[in-house]
Amino acid sequence: MAVKNPIIVALDVPTAEQALQLAKAVAPAVGAFKIGSELFTSAGPDIVKKVRATGAAVFLDLKFHDIPNTVAKAVASATRLDVQMLTIHTSGGREMMRAAEKSAQETAAQAGLNAPLVLGVTVLTSHDNATLSEIGFPPDTGRQVERLADLAVKAGLRGLVCSPLEIAALRQVLPSPVQLVTPGIRTGAEKADDQKRTLSPREAMTAGASWLVIGRPIYAAEDPRAAAEKILGSLS
Ligand code: C5P
């Protein structure tokens, strides 16, 4: 997928009405919309169809993590919804990731659609070395991110989600066609919130991001469309 406008707006709102209102308001200034667990669980697959019907690309962020057969079927369902990106957990292992990528390709071919970009999530940014240790992983988040990223690429994934501060290190070790999608973007204009390790949109693109996931700096702004346009302007 060629990246024209790299801004993905997170539709982190609880209802379909709010999501569609936001999507329609900012669509001309952004590249895609992210639908996550909150909205999908309350509004169902119908919200994906409605956002797609506006002509916008959709990133379905449900972070699948299950046995390979189940993940393959979930990816097939998402592919038939005509999403352009979706997430799976790389800690589901090589076989699960292979099954997900294969399912995306095969389902899309059968349905006459473009295969979605299956993105691997490595280590959640809510984890630190201590929490990794608690769940039995080596207590080194940086090393674990690189290990899982390497496994994801070997399993055939074409993209990863990573924190802005991981982009530069991953770009050193990953083949260049791998797309990196990063949340944790802040412009400096917004109120402080729970994102601790952030980069500006321009810094993240310079570090090697392919796509920027941006939530509150756009949807919580007084004028979301103007906020999105300003961010887009800062990238050129
Ligand atoms: O509002 P904000 O810009 O922080 O939104 C970022 C979006 O990216 C949210 O949907 C959040 O769940 C998601 N995300 C994140 N950090 C991660 C993975 C996903 O902020 N490590």
Side-chain angles (χ1 to χ4, degrees):
M1 191 179 356
V3 179
K4 290 192 187 97
N5 179 331
I7 301 173
I8 302 174
V9 176
L11 296 176
D12 291 337
V13 293
T15 68
E17 292 69 34
Q18 286 166 283
L20 285 170
Q21 200 183 359
L22 175 63
K24 283 178 185 150
V26 303
V30 308
F33 292 102
K34 182 168 90 76
I35 295 175
S37 316
E38 180 190 13
L39 181 59
F40 189 82
T41 306
S42 73
D46 205 40
I47 187 62
V48 176
K49 294 182 192 155
K50 285 183 174 149
V51 175
R52 283 293 292 132
T54 70
V58 168
F59 169 12
L60 186 63
D61 185 20
L62 300 179
K63 299 186 178 68
F64 298 134
H65 188 176
D66 209 314
I67 59 171
N69 183 55
T70 301
V71 169
K73 287 181 178 170
V75 169
S77 295
T79 302
R80 285 191 287 267
L81 281 175
D82 192 21
V83 302
Q84 283 60 54
M85 298 174 163
L86 60 92
T87 41
I88 63 173
H89 271 286
T90 57
S91 52
R94 190 197 296 249
E95 201 195 328
M96 189 202 90
M97 290 190 273
R98 270 206 189 122
E101 180 64 29
K102 184 164 177 264
S103 173
Q105 300 286 351
E106 289 181 358
T107 308
Q110 282 157 14
L113 299 165
N114 290 321
L117 182 63
V118 178
L119 297 164
V121 173
T122 58
V123 178
L124 293 172
T125 48
S126 51
H127 284 318
D128 57 17
N129 291 348
T131 54
L132 273 190
S133 180
E134 266 174 5
I135 55 172
F137 290 112
D140 182 341
T141 50
R143 179 73 201 98
Q144 186 67 5
V145 166
E146 283 183 26
R147 180 182 181 143
L148 289 170
D150 181 56
L151 186 64
V153 171
K154 286 184 176 141
L157 295 198
R158 293 162 293 135
L160 294 162
V161 179
C162 66
S163 107
L165 302 188
E166 290 159 4
I167 301 168
L170 285 175
R171 279 289 175 224
Q172 301 285 319
V173 296
L174 293 176
S176 55
V178 173
Q179 298 206 30
L180 294 180
V181 179
T182 182
I185 300 298
R186 289 296 177 269
T187 66
E190 56 283 301
K191 283 185 286 189
D193 55 38
D194 60 353
Q195 294 283 12
K196 303 280 181 251
R197 300 185 306 143
T198 65
L199 286 185
S200 75
R202 195 187 173 95
E203 286 167 338
M205 293 304 290
T206 305
S210 317
W211 296 87
L212 309 173
V213 174
I214 308 180
R216 287 161 288 185
I218 291 178
Y219 73 72
E222 220 163 278
D223 182 343
R225 168 83 175 263
E229 280 169 352
K230 194 165 174 203
I231 291 171
L232 187 59
S234 77
L235 299 178
S236 54

